[in-house]
Amino acid sequence: MTNSQMIRPYGDTTDDGMVQVSFTLPIPHDARAEGAALQLAAKMGLDPAMVVHTRGMGPDFTFFVVYGRSAHSVDLSQITVAEREYPLLSPAEVNTAIRTTLRRKLVVVGACIGTDAHTVGIDAILNIKGFAGEKGLEYYREIKVVNLGAQVEIDALVHEAREHRADAVLVSQVVTQKDAHLHNTRALVERMHAEFPEGTGRPLVVVGGPRFDPTAAGELGVDRIFARGTTPREVAGYLAHALASSRIAA
């Protein structure tokens, strides 16, 4: 017998199943639009559902917020997530691990690739000002950071990784329309494997962004995926862990 841990969404009272969803329909803002939104909500399984907010977006689109009851529940005992398998280290501990393993500075090359111009993610990890009260990788004495910025072509990133003899390539992807982050990542991995055949010291490939699934690293062919909210200390700790496992030094 399984140890089931069923939970339902909470709205007004415990386990009432109430949820709020938002979406845009390609229809002018009128009464028919609201009817279409309610019909869509019903097909989503929300019963009863009510439109609590609408706003026209130009002449041909309407944005909706819908509130309703979902009949579905979740069994927590069946949830699988990517657990952090390495300890969080202080900057001093990371520096010591790198110095002990590499006997030189760890080189990290970072960028936003493709058409992505949103550097807030990569800057939060790399720049010394950091994120969430933590200093970025530039703060670590034993890490050399090369931040290429935004809209970097994949070939250019791979070239810079080769030129700087990178130990790790960090990529941030915020633009995700039509799964651009997945397409770009697969293209990067393919190019990296072509440039660094097996046994030639390929840098770690680490990607991050708000819509990445941390459990999909193997599927995408990268070494690590970091989701939203990741702090510089977590990335630094991972790199130190990889060093200790001889992943980079090999």
Side-chain angles (χ1 to χ4, degrees):
M1 186 173 182
T2 60
N3 183 23
S4 178
Q5 303 174 50
M6 305 300 294
I7 61 171
R8 296 188 66 201
Y10 174 95
D12 300 316
T13 59
T14 302
D15 291 335
D16 61 10
M18 300 303 289
V19 299
Q20 180 173 291
V21 297
S22 61
F23 51 84
T24 300
L25 291 179
I27 188 172
H29 183 203
D30 56 20
R32 188 175 62 142
E34 185 166 327
L38 286 173
Q39 187 175 119
L40 179 61
K43 291 184 177 181
M44 291 178 180
L46 302 185
D47 182 26
M50 60 182 126
V51 174
V52 296
H53 176 74
T54 66
R55 181 175 293 274
M57 301 174 63
D60 300 316
F61 296 88
T62 306
F63 173 77
F64 298 92
V65 177
V66 175
Y67 189 63
R69 178 178 290 109
S70 170
H72 300 291
S73 57
V74 175
D75 186 349
L76 291 180
S77 67
Q78 300 301 311
I79 303 298
T80 300
V81 297
E83 298 284 357
R84 176 168 50 81
E85 73 282 9
Y86 57 89
L88 285 178
L89 304 176
S90 69
E93 289 171 326
V94 170
N95 287 330
T96 298
I98 294 171
R99 188 164 55 248
T100 300
T101 307
L102 278 186
R103 301 183 183 276
R104 61 169 173 79
K105 288 191 175 183
L106 167 67
V107 181
V108 175
V109 176
C112 299
I113 57 176
T115 60
D116 200 328
H118 300 76
T119 61
V120 62
I122 198 70
D123 288 345
I125 300 302
L126 298 183
N127 287 1
I128 192 170
K129 64 183 179 182
F131 169 70
E134 297 181 7
K135 299 290 188 181
L137 299 190
E138 288 180 343
Y139 174 75
Y140 293 73
R141 285 195 315 272
E142 300 300 325
I143 298 180
K144 175 185 176 182
V145 172
V146 180
N147 189 346
L148 301 178
Q151 296 183 320
V152 178
E153 295 292 337
I154 289 174
D155 284 347
L157 174 57
V158 174
H159 172 77
E160 292 298 321
R162 170 71 75 181
E163 287 294 303
H164 290 281
R165 297 184 178 181
D167 298 294
V169 170
L170 270 57
V171 168
S172 173
Q173 290 279 261
V174 176
V175 174
T176 59
Q177 284 88 343
K178 298 183 179 179
D179 289 335
H181 59 308
L182 302 181
H183 299 311
N184 287 339
T185 299
R186 292 189 178 102
L188 171 63
V189 168
E190 182 179 349
R191 186 69 183 84
M192 288 290 289
H193 281 290
E195 182 69 18
F196 300 94
E198 187 174 354
T200 61
R202 177 182 65 79
L204 289 173
V205 178
V206 180
V207 299
R211 282 190 57 196
F212 278 108
D213 177 0
T215 67
E219 177 187 341
L220 289 176
V222 299
D223 295 286
R224 190 78 180 189
I225 294 176
F226 287 106
R228 66 184 183 278
T230 297
T231 66
R233 190 178 171 197
E234 291 178 271
V235 177
Y238 167 71
L239 296 177
H241 168 75
L243 282 168
S245 303
S246 300
R247 177 61 183 84
I248 296 177

